[in-house]
Amino acid sequence: MFGGAALTVRAGERLAIHGPSGCGKTTLLHAIAGLIKIESGTIHVDDEDVTLTPPHRRGVGLVFQDNQLFTHMDVADNVSYALRVLGMSKRLRREAAAEWLTRVGLQGAADRHVSELSGGESKRVALARTLAGSPSVVLLDEPLTGLDDQLHGRLLADVRELFDHLGTTVVHVTHDRAEGAALCHRSVEFESVAHHGFHGSRPPD
Amino acid sequence: MSDQIFPLRIGRVSTFVVAVWIGVFLVLPVATLIVADLGLHDVTRILGQLSTWRLLWFSAWQAAVSVLVTGLISAPITWLIGRHHFRGRSILRAVTTVGFLLPSVVVAAGIQAVLPSAMQYSVPAMVVGHAYFNMAVMVRVVGSRAELFDDRIVGAASLLGASPQFVWRTVVWQSVRGSVISASVVTFVFCFTSNAVVRLLGDPRRSTIESDIARRAFGIGDISGATVLALLQLFTVAAILGLASARWAGNDRASQGTSPKLPGIPSHHRTTAGAIIVGTTGFVVAPLMALVWRSFHVGETFSLEAWRSIFEPMFLSTIRGTFRIALTAGVVGMSLCVLATLAIVQLPRLGRVVDALVMLPIAISPVTVGLGLILTFDTGWFDWRAGWWLTVIAHSVVALPLAVRVLLPAWRTTPHGLHRAAANLGAGAWRRLVDVDLRRMKPAMTAACGLIVAVSLGEFGAASLLSRDGAETMPVAIARLLSRTGDAFRAQAFALASLLVIVCLMVLVTVEIALMRGSRAARR
């Protein structure tokens, strides 16, 4: 599908991928995360070939476009899910969740049910849930879509500050060029990737 | 590119376990019945008797009359629940379901307790019993379909010049026809294979095929005769279900829609609605109240003797044994149900085979299952009949179709994206199964488990064959006491039945609460 294209993201770099709806941006992220199997080509994370690695062992975090929060768990259990998978005790998980919730500006929301969250709060919880697992790479699938202008601006600033602080490697898919430019160091155009590959600036050395 | 979130291995393992269980404890026993104890001469002997065809004829016509009476009794309440929104509607619907979920022996005992003596042990008494038992099928199946009917289409047809009768025939009836037929076929099969109601309420000179299977196997030791009848019943039920599905399949699919907002009860219908509510509630509750009332009377005299006696060691071991069987069947049946549902959801092709396998117990009656289990596991180096677990196995098989139907819709509503999210957060296949599916499924699993426990508590057909003297289940004890002469025995039967009603109602309330929680969670 991606027609022999190659894309490299340096450690600590934030890359924005732009492109119109339906061009395969989400598919690309899901392929990197291992949620779908690719028929040809390879995917490397930290110089390791993870093409055949199952999704739960890739160390790649994805913030879904529609959040995909676990509706049968409260906010803290959502945020600390990756830590639970690692076998961390409940007390430590709750502490970690509280810390991550503070970082994303949702202090005190640990015991709330996810159905009570607003759109912006759900996005913050989804982001905290992904970051709490300390992934090598964070993939953002149009994470700020559907928010009003004021909320969008505030969340964008918060997310940028958080990523600046953490130094996370990010691949950010969005159709909003301004959002990509505000959050990322570099951007590529996905429009004609199916036939000609990625277009955009080279990765910094 | 292909999805790699569902590793098929878990589904295949589940399929294997379910197939082995059903194969060993349902297919093998039925096959043993056919192979071990049946010769051609048995088939010709039984099928050559006029009495066999009389059995078939009686089973069929009493079932047809029962369907008709069930329809007539259920129609008003189905119309009220299916077409109107009012306070207490879901409670009323739960009330109509009570009869279906209570043990058939208890229902029969309750109806016996209210019927005038002139009607005792007669075909009309049996038909009333069947109507009581199956009202839930009509209300649930037809009522749910009627809810989807949009009144505006009647206005549209009228504006096109159609008379009310024409509109009824071409629009209203067409939209509910499929559900009426489905409910009638299911009711027919239940009444055709009825056992406890026939034995406790019916004319003792007349048997259905099912009750005659039990009589032959248990009463006169004619196992080969019972086997021929079991096969005759199996083929007849399969033919009815096959014919119905070929003739009427797709009736409902053609007219599926989203549920419109139901209107309240119009003021000019309030009296009628009140009468329907009081009448239906009375019909359901009166036999249960009578049961309790009669348990406190020996003859015409008030007495606590029956209640005192059922807590004496003999009955106490029956009560304990019944609960032990029911709770174990709940755990075993629930595990099977989860595995079967998992296989059905995960494997597109093999899942269909599993779906058909778990539905098999509907076509094979409990008495046949019990008989097959005895013949298979009470010979040679097996001597399982002495153990209570054979009843557990029978109940886990008999209750499986109902439990899977409860769990399947809930499981299918799990958003696929949650599996992706869990995988992305590091959860492997088993962990996703536990954290995403099973944790979300808790209310539905509680409901399914409760239903298995309720079915096991009241199951009579298989238990009547598998229970040994001194280790019988409560329904078997109730039937035995009711068949004995003497007011004290009847009072004991009514006391045991009352106790069973109380326990079953508690289980059913738990099931209803779990289902309500489940549907609330699904809406989130």
Side-chain angles (χ1 to χ4, degrees):
Chain A
M1 178 173 182
F2 300 122
L7 182 67
T8 305
V9 186
R10 305 267 179 223
E13 184 190 9
R14 296 201 293 271
L15 172 78
I17 299 179
H18 302 306
S21 301
C23 70
K25 302 189 295 290
T26 297
T27 307
L28 173 68
L29 291 193
H30 284 207
I32 297 170
L35 299 175
I36 48 176
K37 221 181 259 176
I38 55 171
E39 286 157 8
S40 61
T42 55
I43 297 164
H44 293 254
V45 175
D46 291 338
D47 295 327
E48 189 190 333
D49 186 349
V50 295
T51 315
L52 298 175
T53 309
H56 60 285
R57 296 210 186 101
R58 286 203 182 192
V60 173
L62 170 62
V63 179
F64 290 80
Q65 190 172 357
D66 48 1
N67 307 321
Q68 294 296 349
L69 297 179
F70 301 121
T71 50
H72 54 293
M73 298 179 194
D74 64 15
V75 167
D77 281 347
N78 263 278
V79 172
S80 63
Y81 184 79
L83 305 177
R84 188 170 153 209
V85 171
L86 294 173
M88 191 181 275
S89 74
K90 186 163 185 172
R91 190 180 56 80
L92 290 177
R93 285 200 322 260
R94 299 297 285 197
E95 282 172 17
E99 192 181 316
W100 276 107
L101 286 170
T102 307
R103 282 186 178 179
V104 297
L106 275 181
Q107 44 281 62
D111 294 326
R112 285 171 68 187
H113 193 275
V114 292
S115 61
E116 300 162 4
L117 300 174
S118 68
E121 287 172 331
S122 297
K123 298 278 179 200
R124 289 173 191 267
V125 172
L127 184 66
R129 183 178 71 170
T130 300
L131 293 173
S134 308
S136 308
V137 183
V138 170
L139 311 173
L140 304 176
D141 189 2
E142 311 234 19
L144 306 181
T145 304
L147 301 179
D148 63 45
D149 287 348
Q150 199 185 358
L151 195 58
H152 181 275
R154 208 165 57 221
L155 199 55
L156 184 61
D158 288 351
V159 171
R160 187 174 54 199
E161 192 186 322
L162 187 64
F163 284 145
D164 279 343
H165 176 70
L166 296 171
T168 318
T169 308
V170 175
V171 178
H172 176 202
V173 150
T174 176
H175 61 271
D176 182 344
R177 287 169 195 284
E179 181 187 303
L183 188 65
C184 297
H185 306 120
R186 175 169 76 98
S187 67
V188 292
E189 186 63 41
F190 203 72
E191 193 174 3
S192 54
V193 69
H195 301 104
H196 306 292
F198 296 97
H199 291 250
S201 54
R202 292 179 57 79
D205 292 327
Chain B
M1 295 195 184
S2 61
D3 202 313
Q4 60 172 23
I5 286 304
F6 281 112
L8 300 178
R9 205 176 38 181
I10 299 179
R12 290 198 188 112
V13 171
S14 307
T15 304
F16 177 75
V17 176
V18 174
V20 167
W21 191 273
I22 300 272
V24 173
F25 297 122
L26 183 67
V27 178
L28 178 67
V30 174
T32 308
L33 266 181
I34 298 167
V35 176
D37 270 277
L38 204 60
L40 191 61
H41 64 281
D42 292 314
V43 179
T44 50
R45 171 172 68 90
I46 298 296
L47 295 186
Q49 289 168 358
L50 187 61
S51 60
T52 303
W53 301 103
R54 281 204 183 121
L55 276 179
L56 183 65
W57 170 239
F58 177 67
S59 303
W61 79 252
Q62 64 80 20
V65 172
S66 298
V67 170
L68 203 67
V69 173
T70 308
L72 287 174
I73 290 179
S74 316
I77 193 71
T78 307
W79 165 78
L80 190 66
I81 289 176
R83 295 303 308 145
H84 302 91
H85 184 78
F86 53 94
R87 191 183 286 191
R89 179 170 169 267
S90 35
I91 294 173
L92 191 61
R93 182 152 48 186
V95 166
T96 62
T97 315
V98 163
F100 183 73
L101 295 169
L102 281 181
S104 51
V105 168
V106 168
V107 168
I111 290 173
Q112 218 183 66
V114 279
L115 280 182
S117 52
M119 264 185 84
Q120 300 275 1
Y121 305 113
S122 65
V123 175
M126 187 179 83
V127 169
V128 171
H130 285 159
Y132 186 94
F133 198 62
N134 289 296
M135 182 164 69
V137 178
M138 290 285 178
V139 174
R140 293 270 166 166
V141 177
V142 183
S144 316
R145 188 68 199 86
E147 274 177 30
L148 298 177
F149 183 75
D150 194 337
D151 272 335
R152 287 171 301 181
I153 201 165
V154 172
S158 303
L159 286 174
L160 292 167
S163 66
Q165 293 80 4
F166 192 79
V167 171
W168 163 255
R169 192 158 49 82
T170 57
V171 180
V172 180
W173 170 243
Q174 290 305 322
S175 94
V176 291
R177 197 177 78 122
S179 60
V180 172
I181 291 168
S182 303
S184 302
V185 170
V186 171
T187 304
F188 184 90
V189 170
F190 282 149
C191 299
F192 185 80
T193 57
S194 171
N195 180 25
V197 170
V198 175
R199 276 164 71 173
L200 294 177
L201 290 175
D203 183 341
R205 292 161 301 175
R206 294 184 134 165
S207 300
T208 54
I209 298 179
E210 179 80 351
S211 61
D212 207 54
I213 295 171
R215 184 187 67 85
R216 279 177 193 267
F218 208 48
I220 58 175
D222 178 13
I223 301 292
S224 51
T227 306
V228 176
L229 288 181
L231 288 175
L232 178 65
Q233 178 167 276
L234 174 64
F235 289 131
T236 312
V237 170
I240 292 166
L241 292 176
L243 205 71
S245 113
R247 174 72 182 78
W248 293 300
N251 253 327
D252 268 357
R253 265 196 309 247
S255 48
Q256 268 175 3
T258 51
S259 181
K261 199 173 179 317
L262 289 175
I265 301 168
S267 53
H268 62 282
H269 278 155
R270 292 241 165 100
T271 317
T272 316
I276 292 170
I277 292 169
V278 170
T280 306
T281 312
F283 179 67
V284 175
V285 174
L288 305 181
M289 299 300 288
L291 208 59
V292 178
W293 174 261
R294 297 280 296 270
S295 71
F296 286 108
H297 290 79
V298 175
E300 297 302 318
T301 321
F302 176 83
S303 167
L304 294 172
E305 181 55 29
W307 280 95
R308 199 189 51 74
S309 69
I310 66 166
F311 290 107
E312 280 175 359
M314 188 183 74
F315 283 120
L316 212 52
S317 81
T318 300
I319 294 167
R320 271 201 220 108
T322 308
F323 288 168
R324 181 174 60 174
I325 287 170
L327 292 175
T328 318
V331 174
V332 174
M334 190 64 245
S335 315
L336 266 184
C337 176
V338 167
L339 292 174
T341 312
L342 179 70
I344 295 169
V345 170
Q346 281 206 357
L347 307 173
R349 280 190 201 153
L350 213 52
R352 256 176 278 170
V353 177
V354 176
D355 203 357
L357 267 181
V358 298
M359 286 297 124
L360 262 185
I362 286 194
I364 303 170
S365 73
V367 169
T368 311
V369 175
L371 189 56
L373 284 172
I374 287 178
L375 289 182
T376 314
F377 298 106
D378 195 30
T379 52
W381 49 277
F382 289 111
D383 184 21
W384 286 11
R385 199 185 159 195
W388 53 279
W389 57 85
L390 208 51
T391 313
V392 169
I393 288 169
H395 289 174
S396 72
V397 169
V398 168
L400 196 57
L402 192 62
V404 168
R405 291 299 134 198
V406 169
L407 203 52
L408 201 52
W411 206 313
R412 282 189 168 139
T413 59
T414 303
H416 188 50
L418 293 184
H419 282 272
R420 290 168 178 250
N424 182 251
L425 291 163
W430 285 104
R431 176 120 223 164
R432 293 200 292 276
L433 176 69
V434 174
D435 284 351
V436 178
D437 290 311
L438 299 188
R439 275 190 70 178
R440 270 179 57 86
M441 223 54 49
K442 250 195 268 173
M445 280 166 62
T446 311
C449 188
L451 283 177
I452 298 171
V453 170
V455 167
S456 175
L457 280 173
E459 201 283 327
F460 175 69
S464 65
L465 295 178
L466 295 169
S467 295
R468 282 199 159 160
D469 288 344
E472 56 193 5
T473 63
M474 285 166 78
V476 178
I478 292 167
R480 182 176 55 76
L481 290 166
L482 283 177
S483 68
R484 295 176 73 171
T485 314
D487 289 336
F489 292 130
R490 293 177 73 78
Q492 281 175 341
F494 291 134
L496 265 185
S498 303
L499 184 65
L500 206 49
V501 167
I502 293 164
V503 175
C504 285
L505 286 180
M506 279 160 59
V507 173
L508 296 175
V509 167
T510 313
V511 168
E512 277 292 327
I513 291 171
L515 285 175
M516 257 158 43
R517 279 196 188 148
S519 66
R520 223 179 294 148
R523 282 199 296 270
R524 276 177 193 152

